[in-house]
Amino acid sequence: MKPAKVLVAEDYDDARDIMAMVLQSAGYQVLEARDGVEALEVARSFLPTIIVMDMFMPNMDGLTATRALRDEPQLRRIPVIAQTAQTSVISGSRELFDAVLAKPCSPDLLIRTIADLLAR
Amino acid sequence: MLPRRNIGILAVVPRTRAIDLELVRDPLLDAVTAIASARDEAAVCVIVRRAARELTDADGVTFVLRKGNRCYYADEDAIGPLWKGRQFPIDTCISGWAMLNRQHVIVPDIYSDDRIPHDAYRATFVKSLAMVPVRREDPIAAIGAYWAAYHMATPVEIGVLQSLADAAALALFNVQLDADLKTALRQEREAREAAESASRLKDEFLALLSHELRTPLHVINNWLWQLKQGNAMPPMILSKALDVIERNTALQSRLVDDLLDVSRAAAGKLSIDAQLVDLGAVCRSVVELSQPAAREKSIVLTISGDGDPRIWGDPERLQQVMSNVISNAIKFSAKGGRVDVQVMREGSLASVVVKDNGPGVPPEFLPHMFDRFRQADASMTRRQGGLGLGLTIVRDIMALHGGTVRAESAGKDQGTSIHLEFAVAEESRASSDVHRPPAGSKQPVH
């Protein structure tokens, strides 16, 4: 079976680097995007299995990018995990996401959440 | 006893113009009703002067307002010009006498009464007058009626004038009350809006603070998890791990230090340990330390200057000031930009200018650049990281040094320059003369 492709959308380089490494260690193939615009482009080109989305990002934030994903027939069914240092920004839009994780978030929790969502 | 001459004149000038109470009762009631519903001082004046003249059949009427120790002839309605717009000392004019003595006054012949400033009357038609105070218990104004021919005001005329005056007093009181109420409501609304705005800024700041503290922690946690997996890790990765953890720990320490500085300054507990400092040396050392950060963004960072002005200051705090200003300039400049630091001495003034060619600052935001919790563009902060407390701390430390700081920008994409000014320490003079701002005090630059 081919490994699941996880798209990590995160503007902070230090955070994106280590999350990619953690997810690779857990056996996933990792795609990376530095903002919401890149996340949409990568999602269209590579059709990730699941997306881990930061909220505060330049150019296009995670909330806007996720709304855009939900409007595209090919992408709307991809599970999106919001991972943010400020969960209050999504308080009114929780239904957009398949899971919400607050930063700091342990890799164990992230990996378990991804596994649960992929098993559904 | 009346003076003889008055009696004599009374005998030769018959009173043909005396008014009848029955005839004035209804118009008086109308006038009082109209005065009661007047909305402002000017409207009260207009109705009073018109009604007073019509009902007393006088040749002229004035409405005089008390302005402290002066009588202001606010309005008039007369056959010839009187004193509209002029002011007289309260103790030299008859309207003042009526106000000070809280009673009406009848003067049938103004030139035989020494309470009247005759010079002021010579240019006018006035021969006789009557004056009533407005608000009898504590007069705020007076109404005057004037006749061109000899006339002794009758009790009915005085009654009419006093009724108008009493109605005016009540109306003016209402006008004042209404104005006070509106002012109070406006002040209350402004205070509430200011409090709401401050509270909103604080909430936004706390949200940002939470974000900025959690983000490096997330990175550190993830690396620690990775390090604990027990897999053999290539030395390069291990070294990167330590670098990243170190950098993110430093980021958090810096946030905590800044927060403590800002809260100490807000509580008035920030202090400096002043000594003679070479300002040029401080700037050069900070520029040196900032070169790696500048290189990382391909920014050219230069320092120039004439002489090395010495000032009284706390070397560590001055280093913090320069570091905050320069790192801000680097942070907000685009890749490939430039930041120039210039240290100058002009007479007794030492100045440092840090100029970047970054995005600039909108003019409306310039005055707020040093405010707590304020940033021009919140999305900029997200990109740049940090809490935006740097310039607030700069302002607070500059104040402790008796110096000033201001920002200039010609607008969007025109870059920004931060100007810092200090008093030069005058070492050559006796130590008692040396300009030394006491720690913790604000002093203007000399």
Side-chain angles (χ1 to χ4, degrees):
Chain A
M1 197 182 111
K2 273 185 13 183
K5 281 183 282 189
V6 182
L7 167 56
V8 176
E10 163 68 62
D11 64 324
Y12 187 34
D13 295 346
D14 282 354
R16 197 178 58 253
D17 286 352
I18 182 58
M19 284 169 65
M21 193 178 291
V22 161
L23 291 172
Q24 276 159 2
S25 311
Y28 294 109
Q29 187 190 334
V30 178
L31 303 165
E32 298 181 34
R34 285 173 297 189
D35 60 38
V37 176
E38 274 189 22
L40 283 175
E41 284 166 4
V42 173
R44 287 185 198 116
S45 310
F46 299 98
L47 289 177
T49 327
I50 190 162
I51 300 173
V52 181
M53 184 83 80
D54 182 30
M55 291 297 110
F56 270 163
M57 292 188 289
N59 305 321
M60 184 192 284
D61 64 33
L63 198 59
T64 312
T66 307
R67 284 208 183 95
L69 282 170
R70 299 307 191 208
D71 282 342
E72 294 196 26
Q74 280 92 347
L75 308 178
R76 64 172 6 132
R77 300 184 66 85
I78 300 174
V80 178
I81 300 172
Q83 192 178 42
T84 173
Q86 219 186 322
T87 50
S88 62
V89 288
I90 49 173
S91 55
S93 319
R94 235 188 144 87
E95 73 289 349
L96 271 179
F97 302 97
D98 298 272
V100 176
L101 299 176
K103 286 180 187 168
C105 167
S106 84
D108 287 329
L109 179 58
L110 177 64
I111 291 164
R112 197 164 63 236
T113 307
I114 291 173
D116 286 352
L117 288 172
L118 293 181
R120 281 206 311 221
Chain B
M1 202 182 93
L2 282 170
R4 256 183 89 94
R5 57 181 175 275
N6 280 0
I7 295 166
I9 294 164
L10 261 178
V12 294
V13 183
R15 287 181 47 209
T16 54
R17 298 171 72 178
I19 57 162
D20 186 339
L21 183 58
E22 288 304 311
L23 289 175
V24 298
R25 186 180 289 138
D26 287 349
L28 179 61
L29 278 175
D30 289 347
V32 166
T33 308
I35 291 167
S37 61
R39 282 280 157 263
D40 55 50
E41 199 176 275
V44 173
C45 284
V46 169
I47 302 167
V48 167
R49 66 173 163 82
R50 192 174 299 152
R53 188 160 173 211
E54 280 173 16
L55 298 180
T56 58
D57 200 21
D59 295 318
V61 163
T62 57
F63 195 82
V64 188
L65 291 168
R66 179 170 180 175
K67 303 254 178 205
N69 275 328
R70 301 183 76 79
C71 293
Y72 169 57
Y73 282 73
D75 207 354
E76 68 191 30
D77 183 351
I79 56 171
L82 292 170
W83 310 276
K84 183 169 175 173
R86 292 178 63 186
Q87 295 192 18
F88 300 94
I90 197 162
D91 50 2
T92 67
C93 65
I94 194 70
S95 59
W97 189 94
M99 286 192 250
L100 291 174
N101 292 281
R102 302 191 190 106
Q103 56 180 280
H104 72 260
V105 51
I106 298 169
V107 183
D109 176 9
I110 59 165
Y111 293 104
S112 62
D113 191 316
D114 52 17
R115 289 172 299 185
I116 307 280
H118 297 139
D119 288 345
Y121 281 76
R122 274 188 234 288
T124 71
F125 63 84
V126 178
K127 169 73 177 165
S128 309
L129 66 77
M131 190 69 73
V132 297
V134 173
R135 199 170 80 181
R136 273 179 276 188
E137 63 277 20
D138 181 16
I140 49 169
I143 299 168
Y146 309 86
W147 290 270
Y150 180 90
H151 176 71
M152 169 79 88
T154 65
V156 171
E157 288 161 354
I158 293 297
V160 165
L161 288 173
Q162 194 62 65
S163 300
L164 291 171
D166 293 347
L170 205 58
L172 290 176
F173 180 70
N174 281 337
V175 165
Q176 188 58 47
L177 210 60
D178 192 48
D180 289 350
L181 184 66
K182 281 185 178 131
T183 306
L185 283 173
R186 184 170 43 79
Q187 285 168 344
E188 190 275 333
R189 194 184 61 237
E190 284 168 1
R192 183 159 37 81
E193 282 169 1
E196 280 167 3
S197 160
S199 147
R200 198 168 49 245
L201 281 175
K202 211 162 230 176
D203 286 350
E204 284 169 8
F205 175 79
L206 285 176
L208 183 62
L209 173 62
S210 156
H211 181 263
E212 293 301 302
L213 285 172
R214 285 159 177 266
T215 300
L217 200 55
H218 181 67
V219 170
I220 295 167
N221 270 4
N222 274 257
W223 269 112
L224 290 178
W225 182 90
Q226 186 70 24
L227 292 171
K228 278 168 75 177
Q229 291 310 295
N231 313 334
M233 196 172 269
M236 229 178 71
I237 302 285
L238 188 61
S239 146
K240 178 180 171 152
L242 296 177
D243 280 353
V244 172
I245 290 172
E246 193 175 29
R247 183 165 62 238
N248 282 276
T249 310
L251 207 60
Q252 279 199 319
S253 308
R254 171 74 197 284
L255 286 180
V256 173
D257 285 346
D258 280 2
L259 269 181
L260 287 175
D261 278 349
V262 165
S263 92
R264 272 192 212 113
K269 285 181 181 157
L270 197 65
S271 62
I272 57 170
D273 186 8
Q275 50 184 272
L276 266 183
V277 180
D278 181 338
L279 190 58
V282 169
C283 292
R284 280 193 298 275
S285 116
V286 174
V287 164
E288 198 55 43
L289 289 169
S290 308
Q291 289 295 358
R295 267 196 299 276
E296 208 164 283
K297 287 182 76 176
S298 310
I299 286 170
V300 179
L301 172 60
T302 70
I303 178 160
S304 62
D306 47 4
D308 280 331
R310 282 152 77 83
I311 61 169
W312 280 106
D314 183 324
E316 274 177 39
R317 289 299 189 181
L318 289 171
Q319 181 131 1
Q320 191 181 2
V321 163
M322 293 318 306
S323 169
N324 283 3
V325 172
I326 292 172
S327 67
N328 232 45
I330 293 172
K331 192 155 87 174
F332 288 97
S333 287
K335 273 201 162 86
R338 61 179 299 134
V339 174
D340 298 301
V341 181
Q342 205 180 3
V343 187
M344 284 166 294
R345 179 183 174 160
E346 285 168 43
S348 59
L349 214 60
S351 68
V352 181
V353 178
V354 178
K355 186 166 171 34
D356 66 53
N357 63 352
V361 178
E364 67 274 13
F365 190 72
L366 275 177
H368 300 297
M369 276 185 72
F370 300 93
D371 290 0
R372 258 193 304 167
F373 311 149
R374 288 291 291 266
Q375 293 204 308
D377 178 1
S379 66
M380 181 91 91
T381 308
R382 287 169 214 159
R383 249 191 325 276
Q384 308 300 345
L387 294 174
L389 292 178
L391 289 182
T392 304
I393 294 168
V394 165
R395 182 200 60 191
D396 294 339
I397 295 177
M398 287 303 288
L400 288 173
H401 281 84
T404 60
V405 57
R406 68 175 197 282
E408 287 178 7
S409 176
K412 195 168 159 48
D413 298 327
Q414 300 296 307
T416 309
S417 56
I418 302 288
H419 299 248
L420 303 146
E421 288 180 349
F422 304 85
V424 169
E426 295 167 27
E427 314 151 56
S428 55
R429 290 163 62 180
S431 63
S432 61
D433 289 345
V434 169
H435 171 77
R436 180 175 188 164
S441 74
K442 284 190 182 190
Q443 282 211 350
V445 172
H446 289 230

